[in-house]
Amino acid sequence: MRIVALLPSATEIVCVLGLGDQLVGVTHECDYPDFVNGLPKVTKTLIPHDASSARIDELVRERLQTQRALYTLDLPALEALRPDLIVTQALCDVCAVALEEVRAAACTLPGQPRVLNLEPQTLGEVLESVRQVGKATGRQEQAAAVVAALQVRVEAVAARSAQLTQRPRVALLEWIDPPFSCGHWSPELVRLAGGKEGLGQEGRPSRTLSWREVHAWRPEVLFLACCGFSITRTIQDLPLLRSSPGWRDLPCVQNGRVYLVDGSAYFSRPGPRLVDSLEMLANALHPEIHPLPRGLPAAMRVDVAFEPAGDVA
């Protein structure tokens, strides 16, 4: 089978099922496992590489209003790869090529490859996506084994968290300028890890926030998991927090519990490494009961106790 994956999480699912040798094409954002960096890229982005967070947000909102794509297919490259299966998603209109474009392209390709759409909104549905890919590729047994192993890890975290008598108020932001709550699976991860997420809702999309809402929640722990951003890119936006009125008065700032995590590699990808994300959150929230598994990066604690900048807006 010749497989093309049109989102990074799909690439990771294909590979965890032992199908890396059948993966013939990926997106420009696929970077894990390392070998996929050498595979043909069948997408490109229209977002300038040096765009600010505010400009990216503007482009995304414009795309939602006009249906002008931010990601496009390289049709000649896709045709040359002659895929039998294309794995894509329709969960987020701005995170990948539109499903309609993929289906239309598939109809023009030799052999008319099957298009498998993954659309998970919860951690359980992410695990079900592994089973979906396993069924589509004849790897049901491998998928069942992978899911079972991931579930054991999730249940271990949940069992330890169940012993807690106090859970801190947590804000996990998916964007800084403007601030966005977390959504879909991320509030669930916070709950399982032993925190209370008061800005995002489990199984619901993320939403734009005002800083007033963030301050009203008074988070005791803040995680910055900017969607599609590495930690290095997120660090560039830390100075923007200086302009958040009342920033220094937040409990998370006063207690020194502001963390950076890799939104691109972990929290934004609905694939196997969401369980890694859970374990990273749990360790940062309650290191006394949640050890960090070997090989996982710890959440990066940052000193962002800047001077306050006026009244909350």
Side-chain angles (χ1 to χ4, degrees), residues 176-179 209-219 222 238-254 304-313:
I176 295 176
D177 189 19
L209 302 169
S210 68
W211 281 112
R212 182 180 296 275
E213 289 180 86
V214 178
H215 289 280
W217 175 235
R218 294 189 60 75
L222 172 65
L238 288 183
L240 297 172
L241 297 176
R242 292 192 184 115
S243 63
S244 166
W247 170 255
R248 199 175 67 172
D249 297 327
L250 288 175
C252 59
V253 176
Q254 294 180 344
V304 285
F306 302 124
E307 292 295 324
D311 296 332
V312 175

Side-chain angles (χ1 to χ4, degrees), residues 127-251:
L127 298 182
E128 182 59 30
S129 293
V130 177
R131 294 190 182 95
Q132 287 180 265
V133 176
K135 182 177 180 180
T137 57
R139 294 292 179 103
Q140 291 96 327
E141 291 185 8
Q142 291 88 337
V146 168
V147 170
L150 292 173
Q151 287 177 325
V152 166
R153 292 165 60 191
V154 172
E155 290 167 3
V157 172
R160 291 193 297 267
S161 293
Q163 305 169 22
L164 295 168
T165 56
Q166 292 186 331
R167 292 171 174 253
R169 294 187 305 276
V170 175
L172 196 161
L173 299 184
E174 291 190 359
W175 205 248
I176 295 176
D177 189 19
F180 268 74
S181 73
C182 63
H184 297 119
W185 47 81
S186 290
E188 180 183 3
L189 297 184
V190 173
R191 173 176 56 80
L192 291 169
K196 295 184 293 185
E197 224 303 341
L199 301 173
Q201 296 183 40
E202 294 187 22
R204 302 290 298 170
S206 60
R207 61 186 181 90
T208 311
L209 302 169
S210 68
W211 281 112
R212 182 180 296 275
E213 289 180 86
V214 178
H215 289 280
W217 175 235
R218 294 189 60 75
E220 298 167 279
V221 187
L222 172 65
F223 292 96
L224 301 172
C226 293
C227 183
F229 276 9
S230 65
I231 286 181
T232 300
R233 177 61 183 84
T234 302
I235 287 173
Q236 296 178 28
D237 281 357
L238 288 183
L240 297 172
L241 297 176
R242 292 192 184 115
S243 63
S244 166
W247 170 255
R248 199 175 67 172
D249 297 327
L250 288 175

